[in-house]
């Protein structure tokens, strides 16, 4: 197993079922990139979410298995009622307590990935009705990673992106259609640029 050159972590809550496919669908499957996703969901939800995201985005999305590799092209989704964490070049599932009333937690994914991937990490924070993700985005920025935040004024639920913008100056903030192309630029370049659109 050869790990991807860069890792993208994506977090969303209310409205994410529509938002995540827009971002994923704009990313070329040939990018040297692995993706890990947390979408807040009911603890007893079934496995339909991965299939829905796959169908809407045109990318193969699978529920993560413990120790699954972060290889090029992999798109892993946090299973219901498990934290999805990053441990080096693999993901890890955890039944640790909820964080800020959420399991899976966006903060937990982002912070764990920041530890392992540093400047090779990009984080996308989308629509959400809580501040989950804001602390994690700050951890990514502190580690030298790139941060991409949906414009709160255009998000279905503005609380998550707004909370992040109170903590960080993101690499890019804009509408959903702008995020995928900006991530592509980041993947293909050594250093991220600051943009607003």
């Amino acid at each position: 197993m050869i790990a991807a050159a860069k890792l993208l972590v994506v977090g969303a809550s209310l409205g994410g079922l529509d938002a995540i496919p827009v971002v994923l669908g704009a990313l070329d499957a040939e990018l040297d990139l692995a993706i890990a996703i947390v979408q807040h969901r009911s603890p007893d939800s079934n496995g339909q979410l991965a299939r829905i995201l796959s169908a809407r985005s045109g990318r193969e999305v699978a529920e993560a298995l413990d120790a699954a590799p972060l290889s090029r092209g992999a798109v892993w989704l946090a299973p219901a009622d498990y934290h999805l964490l990053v441990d080096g070049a693999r993901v890890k599932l955890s039944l640790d307590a909820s964080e800020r009333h959420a399991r899976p937690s966006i903060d937990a994914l982002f912070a764990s990935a920041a530890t392992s991937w540093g400047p090779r990490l990009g984080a996308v924070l989308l629509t959400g009705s809580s501040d989950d993700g804001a602390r994690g985005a700050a951890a990514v920025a502190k580690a030298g990673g790139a941060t991409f935040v949906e414009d709160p004024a255009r998000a279905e639920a503005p609380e998550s992106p707004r909370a992040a913008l109170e903590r960080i100056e993101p690499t890019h903030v804009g509408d959903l259609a702008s995020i995928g192309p900006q991530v592509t630029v980041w993947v293909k370049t050594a250093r991220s640029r600051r943009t607003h659109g």
Side-chain angles (χ1 to χ4, degrees):
M1 184 276 300
I2 299 176
K6 291 187 177 180
L7 171 64
L8 186 70
V9 288
V10 179
S13 181
L14 180 65
L17 195 59
D18 293 321
I20 291 172
V22 174
V23 175
L24 294 184
L27 299 176
D28 188 334
E30 297 305 311
L31 289 173
D32 195 355
L33 182 71
I35 302 171
I37 303 168
V38 162
Q39 164 68 56
H40 288 174
R41 57 202 288 199
S42 168
D44 57 357
S45 67
N46 58 27
Q48 292 293 326
L49 181 57
R51 287 189 281 276
I52 292 169
L53 293 177
S54 295
R56 292 186 177 184
S57 69
R59 292 290 299 270
E60 184 177 345
V61 179
E63 285 205 350
L65 302 173
D66 195 47
L70 289 165
S71 52
R72 179 175 178 162
V75 185
W76 298 118
L77 172 69
D81 208 27
Y82 282 89
H83 291 306
L84 179 62
L85 308 175
V86 171
D87 184 12
R90 296 182 179 274
V91 296
K92 180 172 72 171
L93 301 183
S94 167
L95 284 170
D96 288 347
S98 298
E99 294 190 18
R100 309 195 69 71
H101 311 291
R103 190 173 71 195
S105 160
I106 301 169
D107 282 334
L109 171 62
F110 285 16
S112 66
T115 300
S116 299
W117 288 72
R120 297 184 300 133
L121 176 67
V124 172
L125 186 60
L126 303 172
T127 175
S129 57
S130 73
D131 66 354
D132 187 24
R135 289 165 182 77
V140 172
K142 184 176 180 181
T147 51
F148 306 88
V149 179
E150 184 177 4
D151 184 347
R154 305 180 193 185
E156 181 173 334
E159 289 82 2
S160 292
R162 183 182 295 138
L165 294 177
E166 290 172 356
R167 291 176 172 265
I168 62 168
E169 180 184 350
T171 306
H172 173 78
V173 57
D175 63 10
L176 284 173
S178 72
I179 292 174
Q182 289 299 321
V183 170
T184 297
V185 170
W186 167 73
V187 173
K188 292 182 174 180
T189 56
R191 295 189 303 173
S192 54
R193 301 178 300 152
R194 294 192 180 279
T195 63
H196 193 292

